[in-house]
Amino acid sequence: MLLYLLVACDGLDEKQEKALKRCRSDVQAALQAYAEENPDSQVTVIDECDSEECEDWRLGIQQPVKKAAQIKPVVQLFNDLAKQYRVDCEVGSVEDGEFEPVSYFGQREGQGDAFLIGAYLGL
């Protein structure tokens, strides 16, 4: 299964958009560092932030997983990002190029739980 986690960029108010635009480069750097630190996990950074509108952005990672235990480190990364940058996160699977969300967590939604997310994904 191809797992994805994104910073939730849609449905933000003006204040949240400004904050996300300010911290975008820091979030990108954290995602890139995670990918480089985990080369065996085949992590790919998703960095589609070309639009001026945050709601059009896709900022996160995708990674193939077979077991629920494999998602624990990346969920922790996004929990840390949510806490530090006050963002929410979207998690799901990629099937035939389509992103299928299964859960949201973060600043407004509460901390993500790798065990529950694994169950939602059927792992």
Side-chain angles (χ1 to χ4, degrees), residues 27-72:
V27 172
Q28 289 166 320
L31 296 173
Q32 189 61 45
Y34 178 82
E36 290 170 4
E37 292 166 5
N38 296 283
D40 294 339
S41 297
Q42 300 174 328
V43 175
T44 304
V45 175
I46 301 168
D47 189 358
E48 300 170 9
C49 301
D50 297 332
S51 173
E52 288 295 316
E53 302 297 323
C54 288
E55 66 186 26
D56 297 331
W57 290 4
R58 278 197 179 154
L59 180 59
I61 62 118
Q62 62 185 24
Q63 149 183 357
V65 295
K66 293 182 181 177
K67 302 177 197 173
Q70 292 175 295
I71 68 172
K72 189 173 181 177

Side-chain angles (χ1 to χ4, degrees), residues 6 50-51 54 58 61 63 65 79 81 85 94 107 109 112 116:
L6 298 173
D50 297 332
S51 173
C54 288
R58 278 197 179 154
I61 62 118
Q63 149 183 357
V65 295
N79 277 327
L81 291 173
Y85 299 109
V94 180
Q107 176 65 26
E109 302 289 335
L116 289 176

Side-chain angles (χ1 to χ4, degrees), residues 1-122:
M1 164 183 299
L2 188 57
L3 170 79
Y4 78 87
L5 287 101
L6 298 173
V7 172
C9 298
D10 57 340
L12 303 176
D13 63 32
E14 187 176 333
K15 183 179 176 182
Q16 291 168 316
E17 280 192 23
K18 286 180 182 179
L20 181 57
K21 286 178 180 180
R22 268 194 316 272
C23 72
R24 181 178 96 186
S25 62
D26 294 334
V27 172
Q28 289 166 320
L31 296 173
Q32 189 61 45
Y34 178 82
E36 290 170 4
E37 292 166 5
N38 296 283
D40 294 339
S41 297
Q42 300 174 328
V43 175
T44 304
V45 175
I46 301 168
D47 189 358
E48 300 170 9
C49 301
D50 297 332
S51 173
E52 288 295 316
E53 302 297 323
C54 288
E55 66 186 26
D56 297 331
W57 290 4
R58 278 197 179 154
L59 180 59
I61 62 118
Q62 62 185 24
Q63 149 183 357
V65 295
K66 293 182 181 177
K67 302 177 197 173
Q70 292 175 295
I71 68 172
K72 189 173 181 177
V74 72
V75 169
Q76 185 58 53
L77 168 69
F78 276 80
N79 277 327
D80 293 345
L81 291 173
K83 187 175 182 179
Q84 183 173 0
Y85 299 109
R86 307 185 80 195
V87 296
D88 284 314
C89 307
E90 175 184 318
V91 60
S93 62
V94 180
E95 297 175 21
D96 299 322
E98 295 293 320
F99 288 69
E100 300 291 332
V102 296
S103 184
Y104 295 87
F105 63 94
Q107 176 65 26
R108 290 180 287 182
E109 302 289 335
Q111 187 168 352
D113 182 301
F115 177 78
L116 289 176
I117 293 168
Y120 298 152
L121 291 166

